Amino acid sequence: MLIARLIADPETLGDNLARAMELIEEAGAEVAGAGMLDFCESVLEMEVVDGDAATVRGILDRCFPTSDFLLSDRVIETPRLFVSDMDSTMISAECIDELADFAGLKDRIAAITERAMQGELDFESALRERVGLLKDLPEAAITQCLDERIRPMPGARVLVSTLKSRGCHTVLVTGGFHSFADPVAAQLGFDRVVGNRLEIVDGKLTGALVGGIVDSGVKKTVLLDELARLGPATVSLATGDGANDIPMIEAATHGIAYYAKPKARQAADGWIDRGDLTSILHLFGIAREDWVID
């Protein structure tokens, strides 16, 4: 059985649901039930028997083109492991692009970032190229960038705090830099941080990195290592927005793409295209009165 949960425009929900059910049954599956969750009234849950996941997903995507969505082949339970990307997922910026603005190189570096996020460039070579362009930028630019440019995504802290209150271990893993990720993780409440390290000598960036590169393979490995520690039956959630997040998203029990690039969205079990990060709490059936709001 497949379980689909979605949040969509309430004004068109009835008509779109009727059309989706018709198409699913025409595809040879059976809609065993459909209705709003009692404890999360904005969430529609649909149970589909004998349905192909890709087909059901495609139908619901067409019928509810702007929605928040999760499809699962198992009972949807609160995750006990949450691993998330940072840039454009937990925060509203791409740190390296904003840092580049202080060197007068934002447009040039942002173009490389976009191609890497779309999966058009090798991540490591693209990262090293961009970092190399920042050579001789004062270290103080990082602090200024943090203060002026880096803001959490709406709902990020509530999401992390609420999951932690339910026993979930949280990890922020980024192809960006510890200089940004460490303060962001502290602000949002993540338990662990994995990222790259900029080399800084005499108060200036050298244009190099220290240590290994956190790429898509490392992101997946972080998730798998945490699962090995917590137990292979642990329900896991991964969120991200770019091609670099795809292996991690695919390896998780539930992978959700957040306002993502097409390749990442296609790889995920669900997406947030309508609301903020608290939509994830709705999709997991966590009622608003149980959210942790500091």
Side-chain angles (χ1 to χ4, degrees), residues 2 20-32 47-53 55-56 59 62:
L2 296 173
M21 292 173 66
E22 179 183 352
L23 291 173
I24 288 171
E25 292 183 353
E26 286 179 1
E30 176 187 354
V31 178
E47 297 178 352
V48 180
V49 179
D50 296 329
D52 172 71
T55 300
V56 171
I59 290 170
R62 292 197 304 274

Side-chain angles (χ1 to χ4, degrees), residues 22-44:
E22 179 183 352
L23 291 173
I24 288 171
E25 292 183 353
E26 286 179 1
E30 176 187 354
V31 178
M36 310 307 288
L37 293 182
D38 291 339
F39 41 85
C40 254
E41 295 180 354
S42 63
V43 180
L44 171 69

